[in-house]
Amino acid sequence: REFLLIRQLANIPNELAAEFFERVKALAKEFEAADEKSAAEGDTRQTYGLLIGFYPTFYFSEDQNTGES
């Protein structure tokens, strides 16, 4: 079995964030659909969890971290 946990921060424009948001929602729907499909087909199944967080956050800029103006 594999386990994946990633934390990533990115400074991106709001338009790109909106695109990522839609793709993340689509991935979650695909995951749910896979569960429904395998249940309908009677496949041998293993339960997997999917936890996604995608949100705006606040961090100081480099200038504020170093005390520079």
Side-chain angles (χ1 to χ4, degrees), residues 2 9-11 25 38 40-43 54 61-62 64 66 68:
E2 294 183 72
L9 299 175
N11 293 309
K25 285 193 324 184
S38 66
E41 294 175 357
D43 293 339
F54 184 73
S61 70
E62 283 296 316
Q64 290 171 319
T66 61
E68 298 174 9

Side-chain angles (χ1 to χ4, degrees), residues 7-11 55 57 59:
R7 180 175 185 264
Q8 182 75 37
L9 299 175
N11 293 309
Y55 51 92
T57 185
Y59 281 87

Side-chain angles (χ1 to χ4, degrees), residues 30-53:
E30 180 183 344
F31 186 73
E32 181 180 20
D35 177 55
E36 293 167 357
K37 179 182 176 189
S38 66
E41 294 175 357
D43 293 339
T44 302
R45 305 179 321 153
Q46 169 68 47
T47 300
Y48 287 86
L50 177 66
L51 174 64
I52 302 171

